[in-house]
């Protein structure tokens, strides 16, 4: 550990998103309505973006000018009761346009390599088959498709070519029923095409740059004894 950054704006800080230039880090404050901006060269807080509700993820467009933020639900709607995404202008650090309505409890986001689509996985209630994925066209900032059949989706990663999404099915946060799978989504046809068995409550996922492997974290193996 070489430095600890502290700021009054942090409130259950959750995800970190770094811009392509490596100059700024954006911290979602999951128990607040804010995102904290860190200036990376100095490791100091340089600003705060307001107007969210329990933000739990952020993706930056390929041109670096805008970002999409998911509102899982926090101090306004209550945890897990959010239903929207916000579009942020990173030049002015402000929300622009109206909120984009997706499913309940949008847990994570991914953006296609060409920036044409944003994918929001929606936890809903965590029960088997109730989770959804909202496909947002960035040209109109509207939902153009909804994919069903997930079970408490919690993490998402796209292959480098943008053809497939891998989604972790965490399952219920009330101990049972818990999830044990990853869903493979064909993004050309917007359909689940395969299910991979993994550990208990898979949560995080990342794909190697060559697209050959996906690494999945299994949140709670306590249930296996």
């Amino acid at each position: 550990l070489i430095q600890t950054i502290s700021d009054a704006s942090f409130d259950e800080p959750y995800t970190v998103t770094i811009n392509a230039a490596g100059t700024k880090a954006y911290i979602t404050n999951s128990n607040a309505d804010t995102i904290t901006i860190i200036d990376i060269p100095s490791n100091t807080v340089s600003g705060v973006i307001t107007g969210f509700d329990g933000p739990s993820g952020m993706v930056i467009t390929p041109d670096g000018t805008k970002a999409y933020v998911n509102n899982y639900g926090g101090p306004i709607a209550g945890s897990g009761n959010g239903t929207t995404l916000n579009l942020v202008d990173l030049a002015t650090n402000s929300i622009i346009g109206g909120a984009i309505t997706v499913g309940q409890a949008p847990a994570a986001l991914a953006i296609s390599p060409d920036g044409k689509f944003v994918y929001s996985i929606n936890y809903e209630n965590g029960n088997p088959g109730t989770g959804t994925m909202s496909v947002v066209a960035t040209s109109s900032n509207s939902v153009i498709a909804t994919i069903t059949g997930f079970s408490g989706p919690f993490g998402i990663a796209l292959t480098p070519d943008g053809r497939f999404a891998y989604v972790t099915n965490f399952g219920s946060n009330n101990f049972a029923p818990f999830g044990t799978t990853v869903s493979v989504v064909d993004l050309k046809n917007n359909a689940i095409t395969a299910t991979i068995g993994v550990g208990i409550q898979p949560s995080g996922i990342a794909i190697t740059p060559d697209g050959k492997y996906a690494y999945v974290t299994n949140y709670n193996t306590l249930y296996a004894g």
Side-chain angles (χ1 to χ4, degrees), residues 9-14 27-36 54-55:
S9 64
F10 292 136
D11 193 344
E12 297 185 14
Y14 184 38
I27 315 299
T28 54
N29 294 302
S30 63
N31 191 46
D33 64 350
T34 59
I35 287 177
T36 301

Side-chain angles (χ1 to χ4, degrees), residues 1 11 17 25 28 30 49 53 74 79 86 89 109-110 125 163 173-174 182 192 195 203 210 214 225:
L1 178 66
D11 193 344
T17 303
T28 54
S30 63
I49 310 171
D53 184 24
S79 180
N86 289 122
D89 184 333
L109 297 174
N125 59 16
R163 177 66 193 275
N173 199 34
N174 296 319
V182 170
I192 297 174
T195 301
S203 53
D210 60 10

Side-chain angles (χ1 to χ4, degrees), residues 64-197:
T65 63
K66 297 180 179 64
Y68 290 82
V69 175
N70 56 317
N71 296 299
Y72 182 81
I76 300 173
S79 180
N81 291 319
T83 59
T84 61
L85 311 181
N86 289 122
L87 177 62
V88 177
D89 184 333
L90 296 180
T92 61
N93 291 325
S94 60
I95 293 173
I96 55 176
I100 304 166
T101 300
V102 291
Q104 183 178 342
L109 297 174
I111 190 167
S112 61
D114 60 11
K116 291 183 178 181
F117 302 100
V118 169
Y119 304 96
S120 169
I121 52 170
N122 311 306
Y123 183 85
E124 300 290 349
N125 59 16
N127 289 325
T130 61
T132 63
M133 178 191 289
S134 300
V135 182
V136 176
T138 57
S139 59
S140 60
N141 287 321
S142 60
V143 174
I144 59 169
T146 300
I147 306 168
T148 60
F150 303 95
S151 300
F154 204 74
I156 180 173
L158 304 188
T159 53
D161 60 5
R163 177 66 193 275
F164 295 95
Y166 285 71
V167 178
T168 56
N169 291 299
F170 183 91
S172 174
N173 199 34
N174 296 319
F175 301 105
F178 54 75
T180 58
T181 62
V182 170
S183 295
V184 183
V185 183
D186 181 343
L187 297 178
K188 184 177 181 180
N189 300 305
N190 287 332
I192 297 174
T193 58
T195 301
I196 305 167

